[in-house]
Amino acid sequence: MLDVYLAITVLWGFVFIYAVMATMDFGAGFWSMFYINGRKATATSIANRYLSPTWEVTNTFIVALVVAVYSLFPRGAYTLGTILLVPGSLILLLLSIRSAFLVFSNIAEEYKKPLTYISGISGILIPGLLISVLPITHGNYVDFSGNRQTLDLAGMFTSPNEYAFFGFALTSTLFLSSLLLADYSKASEEFEAYRVYRRDALFIGPISLIMAFLIMFTLKNEAAWIYGKMMKDLPLLYLSLGCFLVGGLGLLLPSQKTKTPGWPRLSVIAITAQYLVASYVYGKAHLPYIVYPEVTIHSAFTDPNSFRAIFITYIVGFAILFPGFIYFWSLFMNDKRYLRQSKTSIPKK
């Protein structure tokens, strides 16, 4: 019994890490596109400087996530692979387009703008399609007939709950990325870009909160089983809301370094904690189902002996890789030479 909960915790950890890193990555690509034609050249420069070393690191986690699903829950992987064939194929297609055009935009200078637009638009759609997996697992759009599982695409794309999740993914992507870019801009002493991203975060943050409430409202009508279980952890949902308020307050506190107020590092930490608490409440309420009501973590679990071997492999792998990731992020956020690079190359308008 303990093994299956260890396995789902590992899987949930991969999902959360990738969700946070990917939303920041995809959002940075959108902001790079959004400000490419404007007068705020430093905002685009900061977004590109963030994207350059991080987008390849981020993509490694989706590989780890897929491997974890197939190794830890092979019976559930069959069902997920079947019902997610269409949305999964769209995600892979957009990931390929986004990655390829992101690389080409930094090589072919004469086509930089159209390539940046394509990579930015395709990137911002990916989080919406990724989060679409969650309403599918609620079971309303999956038909289990005999040994076959089919996805009702028409029902899914006419569901208010689906669009609530999709809107939440888009606004969260823009919110988290603007927060991180605000923090990164301030650390780089690019205060013009900092003011731009701080303003964006203050505008989009409340919209993302509204979308979260809209998810709960539509969830009550379309998946009452999970809504009821989430309400049992109402204190944790209030804690999540409190973290959001702390994050907003962090953007309003006076700052001694700049004339523009804000402690963006505090906001990044608080909002990440908010998503951590909220995702824990949702994940706990989703148990024991992988796809409601037929596929559970118990029925989909791998052989216990295989799990122990896989789990030891994950521990060894993380013991090797995790310090490297910490070192990478410490260099990325604290190396003054990198943070302040290219200031003289930013075009003035």
Side-chain angles (χ1 to χ4, degrees):
M1 184 68 71
L2 178 62
D3 288 348
V4 70
Y5 285 103
L6 280 174
I8 199 64
T9 301
V10 169
L11 186 60
W12 175 81
F14 279 134
V15 170
F16 180 76
I17 292 171
Y18 179 73
V20 173
M21 292 187 65
T23 52
M24 292 176 176
D25 180 41
F26 295 136
F30 176 84
W31 293 123
S32 174
M33 175 203 74
F34 189 77
Y35 289 117
I36 196 170
N37 282 325
R39 297 178 59 187
K40 302 175 179 64
T42 53
T44 293
S45 175
I46 285 291
N48 288 333
R49 206 184 305 171
Y50 170 81
L51 281 169
S52 180
T54 57
W55 70 277
E56 293 184 51
V57 176
T58 302
N59 284 338
T60 62
F61 280 94
I62 196 169
V63 177
L65 175 59
V66 173
V67 171
V69 171
Y70 275 86
S71 60
L72 298 175
F73 299 97
R75 299 175 186 86
Y78 171 78
T79 298
L80 291 173
T82 302
I83 63 177
L84 298 179
L85 183 61
V86 173
S89 298
L90 288 174
I91 291 168
L92 289 176
L93 177 62
L94 288 173
L95 277 171
S96 301
I97 292 173
R98 193 252 180 177
S99 298
F101 280 78
L102 186 62
V103 172
F104 294 149
S105 67
N106 292 297
I107 298 174
E109 287 294 328
E110 63 273 26
Y111 301 109
K112 185 176 181 65
K113 286 186 178 180
L115 293 174
T116 301
Y117 277 115
I118 293 172
S119 65
I121 293 171
S122 58
I124 199 64
L125 292 175
I126 294 171
L129 288 173
L130 283 170
I131 206 170
S132 296
V133 173
L134 298 181
I136 292 173
T137 62
H138 297 165
N140 292 343
Y141 320 112
V142 182
D143 178 30
F144 293 92
S145 299
N147 294 324
R148 297 180 59 189
Q149 300 95 32
T150 56
L151 177 63
D152 179 12
L153 285 171
M156 185 183 76
F157 285 110
T158 55
S159 162
N161 188 233
E162 165 65 24
Y163 289 105
F165 271 101
F166 195 93
F168 177 73
L170 264 60
T171 54
S172 294
T173 296
L174 297 177
F175 181 42
L176 277 170
S177 60
S178 60
L179 279 177
L180 185 72
L181 290 173
D183 182 31
Y184 187 56
S185 301
K186 194 169 187 179
S188 303
E189 297 185 2
E190 297 282 5
F191 298 118
E192 179 187 351
Y194 167 66
R195 285 188 285 270
V196 170
Y197 288 122
R198 174 183 174 273
R199 179 202 64 195
D200 292 335
L202 286 171
F203 175 73
I204 298 171
I207 299 176
S208 69
L209 183 63
I210 292 171
M211 296 307 300
F213 282 116
L214 188 59
I215 284 178
M216 296 301 294
F217 177 77
T218 56
L219 202 62
K220 184 178 181 180
N221 296 325
E222 297 194 25
W225 66 274
I226 196 170
Y227 174 85
K229 293 170 75 173
M230 289 180 72
M231 287 298 101
K232 293 179 181 178
D233 285 318
L234 194 58
L236 288 178
L237 292 176
Y238 285 136
L239 175 61
S240 176
L241 179 60
C243 290
F244 176 85
L245 296 176
V246 171
L249 181 64
L251 294 174
L252 300 173
L253 291 173
S255 174
Q256 296 179 350
K257 290 186 177 181
T258 63
K259 295 181 180 179
T260 304
W263 294 6
R265 185 68 55 87
L266 171 63
S267 297
V268 171
I269 294 172
I271 297 302
T272 302
Q274 177 211 353
Y275 282 92
L276 178 65
V277 174
S279 64
Y280 169 77
V281 173
Y282 174 84
K284 181 183 175 184
H286 206 292
L287 292 177
Y289 303 104
I290 294 178
V291 180
Y292 183 85
E294 298 291 332
V295 184
T296 68
I297 58 174
H298 304 286
S299 65
F301 190 50
T302 188
D303 177 73
N305 293 324
S306 298
F307 164 72
R308 294 185 184 98
I310 295 167
F311 189 67
I312 292 171
T313 303
Y314 277 129
I315 292 175
V316 173
F318 266 91
I320 296 171
L321 293 176
F322 194 70
F325 283 119
I326 296 296
Y327 184 62
F328 166 77
W329 279 102
S330 65
L331 285 177
F332 179 57
M333 294 300 293
N334 296 314
D335 190 328
K336 299 300 182 183
R337 291 173 299 174
Y338 181 76
L339 288 172
R340 297 175 186 177
Q341 72 171 332
S342 304
K343 279 189 176 183
T344 57
S345 64
I346 298 172
K348 302 295 182 182
K349 301 223 176 165

